[in-house]
Amino acid sequence: MSKTSIPPVGQLLHAIHFAALKHSTQRRKDSAGTPYINHPIGVAHILWYEGDVQDIGALQAAVLHDTVEDTDTSFEELELEFGNEVRQIVAECTDDKTLPKAERKRLQVENAPKKSDKAKLVKMADKIYNLRDLQREPPADWTLDRVREYFLWAQKVTDGCRGVNGKLENILEDIYQSGTFVYNGKQYPCIAK
């Protein structure tokens, strides 16, 4: 069976399996050390269940969005396994790790409006997942200022992704306008008024 004749559910399962193998030894920064694979699967889940996104390329890219940035995966490998469209979406969502962190963050804000619609979808769902994680439990080594700065920075990134999915935009707006997070047992607004 050629890759183009695989039904969409099979294509998505292939992406999940590939990402699970690539991220198998990685953990999230929460106190429980949650398996990292929960994150990319969660990003695809947000797209499907909360954003009503049914595009198979966008869903595969959501599952694969951190493979090049955080594992030994190459863009060529992604294209071979999943095709050019998925490769391109992942490329748009991948930071250049050779650059300093501050420059990578600046470029995410600057480049967000220039991304394809499918990359914007993945970027918004990725930020929703990360922001919800921060709302539940910021990493132990993060200061209160770092948490606040992340919310402000994420808002700048996702503001550049507007116009492709009102449902995801509404979720983000709710987090920014009325969301809270807990830090050292005290509750704070995600974005200070």
Side-chain angles (χ1 to χ4, degrees), residues 50 128 132 166-176:
E50 297 181 67
I128 290 168
R132 286 173 173 169
K167 291 181 178 189
L168 297 178
E169 291 172 31
N170 289 339
I171 292 166
L172 288 160
E173 196 60 29
D174 187 52
I175 290 171
Y176 301 137

Side-chain angles (χ1 to χ4, degrees), residues 64-80:
L64 299 165
H65 78 274
D66 280 336
T67 55
V68 173
E69 189 172 317
D70 294 335
T71 75
D72 64 355
T73 307
S74 69
F75 288 118
E76 294 74 24
E77 186 178 7
L78 283 184
E79 184 164 355
L80 183 65

Side-chain angles (χ1 to χ4, degrees), residues 1-151:
M1 180 181 294
S2 75
K3 289 180 186 175
T4 55
S5 65
I6 298 172
V9 70
Q11 294 174 41
L12 185 56
L13 287 170
H14 180 50
I16 293 168
H17 180 71
F18 182 94
L21 293 174
K22 292 292 187 170
H23 292 295
S24 65
T25 61
Q26 297 173 323
R27 301 282 179 205
R28 294 286 283 174
K29 293 179 183 177
D30 59 1
S31 61
T34 306
Y36 192 87
I37 190 62
N38 292 11
H39 168 68
I41 293 172
V43 171
H45 188 272
I46 288 167
L47 286 178
W48 178 272
Y49 285 100
E50 297 181 67
D52 289 333
V53 174
Q54 298 181 12
D55 180 86
I56 192 64
L59 294 169
Q60 285 179 295
V63 172
L64 299 165
H65 78 274
D66 280 336
T67 55
V68 173
E69 189 172 317
D70 294 335
T71 75
D72 64 355
T73 307
S74 69
F75 288 118
E76 294 74 24
E77 186 178 7
L78 283 184
E79 184 164 355
L80 183 65
E81 290 290 326
F82 304 102
N84 185 57
E85 180 189 37
V86 172
R87 172 201 167 124
Q88 292 297 338
I89 299 167
V90 172
E92 290 182 76
C93 297
T94 300
D95 285 349
D96 180 350
K97 288 282 191 104
T98 65
L99 298 173
K101 184 176 182 179
E103 179 64 5
R104 294 192 312 259
K105 291 182 79 149
R106 185 191 72 75
L107 286 171
Q108 277 201 42
V109 173
E110 182 181 308
N111 292 330
K114 303 170 192 171
K115 294 190 182 305
S116 68
D117 287 354
K118 291 178 185 182
K120 287 178 180 180
L121 291 170
V122 173
K123 188 59 79 174
M124 285 192 291
D126 178 43
K127 291 294 182 263
I128 290 168
Y129 191 99
N130 287 336
L131 294 172
R132 286 173 173 169
D133 265 4
L134 278 181
Q135 286 182 283
R136 277 190 297 277
E137 180 185 11
D141 63 342
W142 281 31
T143 64
L144 178 59
D145 284 342
R146 184 171 179 188
V147 177
R148 287 177 164 157
E149 287 167 9
Y150 188 92
F151 280 103

